[in-house]
Amino acid sequence: MRLSDAEWKVMNAVWERHPAAVRDVMEALEDDTHWAYSTVKTMLARLADKGALSVRKRGNISLFEPLVSRHEARRSALRTLAERAFGGGLGSLVQHLLADEHLSAKERDELRSMLLADQQRATQTDDPQ
């Protein structure tokens, strides 16, 4: 599922405080966006139409809940980036991060640990005992 920059802002607000009414999302975003109530309501409705949010009524208030986890949305965004900018290769993306971005020592250690853990998992699944 592709999310625009504005949709990411709304989804982040809903992930942090669901179920969320329009006013909840407005309050979460007011310092960053200054969007009108109608703008936030429209964004939430569009995200519900896309299948990213569910909506239920409590009295005359619409409450929105995420149907897509933050992890799933990030995975989709990363795949889209890899396809568009790196020819579909996650290895190329990681190489770019290592070569062209300024990763801290801590970030490099975390990346190294993740790659080692992934390698160990792959070795365990390749080695049926």
Side-chain angles (χ1 to χ4, degrees):
M1 168 174 303
R2 284 191 181 160
L3 298 175
S4 69
D5 290 346
E7 289 170 334
W8 272 102
K9 289 178 182 185
V10 172
M11 286 300 296
N12 279 318
V14 175
W15 283 318
E16 292 300 321
R17 55 183 58 73
H18 61 85
V22 177
R23 291 238 182 260
D24 298 327
V25 176
M26 261 189 76
E27 288 173 10
L29 299 176
E30 69 186 344
D31 291 339
D32 187 36
T33 65
H34 306 290
W35 289 338
Y37 179 91
S38 59
T39 301
V40 175
K41 185 176 179 181
T42 299
M43 294 288 298
L44 289 163
R46 285 185 184 163
L47 286 163
D49 290 344
K50 275 181 136 175
L53 298 174
S54 69
V55 60
R56 64 182 164 86
K57 289 281 195 178
R58 183 170 56 191
N60 62 349
I61 297 174
S62 296
L63 296 174
F64 295 87
E65 297 257 10
L67 292 174
V68 176
S69 72
R70 183 178 272 153
H71 178 78
E72 291 167 324
R74 285 176 175 167
R75 183 179 335 150
S76 177
L78 186 59
R79 284 187 181 149
T80 298
L81 175 65
E83 289 169 10
R84 286 182 165 184
F86 297 96
L90 290 176
S92 298
L93 172 62
V94 172
Q95 287 173 346
H96 172 78
L97 289 172
L98 291 172
D100 294 343
E101 299 301 319
H102 300 288
L103 297 179
S104 68
K106 180 182 178 193
E107 289 169 326
R108 286 181 183 277
D109 287 344
E110 288 171 353
L111 184 56
R112 191 176 295 110
S113 294
M114 286 186 274
L115 289 171
L116 181 60
D118 183 65
Q119 183 179 19
Q120 289 171 345
R121 266 193 312 273
T123 302
Q124 289 172 354
T125 57
D126 290 345
D127 185 24
Q129 294 181 10

